[in-house]
Amino acid sequence: MLDEDPGPVVQRLILGERLRALREAGGVGLDDANAKLGWYRGKLSKIETGTLGLSERELSTLLAYIGVSGPEAEQVRQLGAEARRRAAPERVSDWAKQYIPLERASSEIRMVYSEIPGLLQTTCYARTQLSRSPVVTAADLESMAGAREARGNRLFQARAPKVRAVLGEEAMLRRVGTPDQMAAQLTRLRQISELPSVSLRVVPLENGPHAGLSCPFTLLWIEEARTTIAYVETLTGADYVKSTSAYTLAFDQAASDALSEEDTRALIDHYVGKNEETG
């Protein structure tokens, strides 16, 4: 994980995990706490999973109830203040604004995609793809395209997150942009595949369907919050799922049918050559 500001989204996850541990250490049940504090059933659970924030007053009341005081309480209040602050704007779709700080804070990223995902895209590839979106405005196109390549550049830096990506062969076949631009994208993919922190593998078309390729997703392991989140994007929104067992299984199934890293690089080289010949 890189030494960057994790942002309020991640701080909220860390705060929730800290509160859960403190509540359990104090022997306080979820339902009892909600009832005692006058909260609706399920509110504290949402706070502990990081899906719901809480005010300074609510946090102080909760800490007093579960018996946390002194320096430890002050540390938690500081974490709460970090979780409540406003995040800097991201150059992404509105529904993906929460995703970027989560990706930035992750120490491991696993993904299964039937196309080249944003983290691995060149600016030209991203521009062409985003230009076909019915929800991306022309005014935002260039900044959003550039932001995708910038995110991928972090993989070349020291202490980059570990990335395990499984792509369908169809990602190599579907041309996005001109042949030269597609060749450049595949060359970028080849370069990323050689990074020590990256494992990139391709599922051949002949190996049939996979759940992850039909429903692409990203799994983010956030060590500070000790949690894994599945990110699933749709045309106009996104889901952040904390029950990730099905996604983990789908990733493992796709990985088991994928080519080795060496054979994957050979396949990418093949498609680079085909696009260079066409261009």
Side-chain angles (χ1 to χ4, degrees), residues 15-25 48 226:
L15 173 64
E17 175 62 26
R18 184 77 174 272
L19 290 173
R20 181 198 60 76
L22 290 170
R23 175 184 58 77
E24 290 181 349
E48 291 181 356
R226 293 187 293 175

Side-chain angles (χ1 to χ4, degrees), residues 93-104:
S93 302
D94 287 345
W95 62 86
K97 291 185 187 300
Q98 184 176 0
Y99 172 80
I100 299 303
L102 293 176
E103 180 187 87
R104 192 180 294 128

Side-chain angles (χ1 to χ4, degrees), residues 41 70 98 113 126 145 150 157 207 223 237 254 259 261 270 273 275:
R41 186 176 184 181
Q98 184 176 0
Y113 278 83
Q157 299 175 11
N207 284 6
E223 189 171 3
L259 298 172
E261 293 180 32
H270 168 72
N275 278 279

Side-chain angles (χ1 to χ4, degrees), residues 90-92 123 130 137-150:
E90 301 284 356
R91 293 181 299 239
V92 293
T123 298
L130 291 167
T137 66
D140 293 332
L141 182 60
E142 286 300 322
S143 62
M144 290 176 65
R148 289 190 174 185
E149 183 167 329

Side-chain angles (χ1 to χ4, degrees), residues 226-274:
R226 293 187 293 175
T227 190
T228 299
I229 295 175
Y231 173 77
V232 186
E233 190 171 301
T234 64
L235 183 63
T236 58
D239 289 325
Y240 297 84
V241 185
K242 296 204 72 175
S243 299
T244 60
S245 58
Y247 295 95
T248 299
L249 179 59
F251 176 88
D252 291 342
Q253 288 175 337
S256 69
D257 262 4
L259 298 172
S260 67
E261 293 180 32
E262 182 179 355
D263 288 343
T264 291
R265 284 191 281 269
L267 184 62
I268 294 173
D269 289 340
H270 168 72
Y271 283 114
V272 169
K274 290 189 68 173

Side-chain angles (χ1 to χ4, degrees), residues 153-213:
N153 287 340
R154 296 175 63 250
L155 302 180
F156 293 86
Q157 299 175 11
R159 298 188 65 202
K162 181 179 180 181
V163 175
R164 297 173 62 197
V166 179
L167 306 182
E169 186 178 355
E170 54 268 39
M172 317 290 114
L173 285 165
R174 185 175 300 281
R175 183 177 297 157
V176 177
T178 67
D180 286 343
Q181 290 171 342
M182 190 64 189
Q185 170 62 78
L186 294 173
T187 299
R188 164 87 164 184
L189 204 62
R190 179 68 157 78
Q191 293 169 344
I192 290 174
S193 75
E194 296 175 336
L195 295 173
S197 61
V198 174
S199 171
L200 176 63
R201 300 170 63 199
V202 169
V203 178
L205 290 171
E206 62 190 33
N207 284 6
H210 282 274
L213 295 176

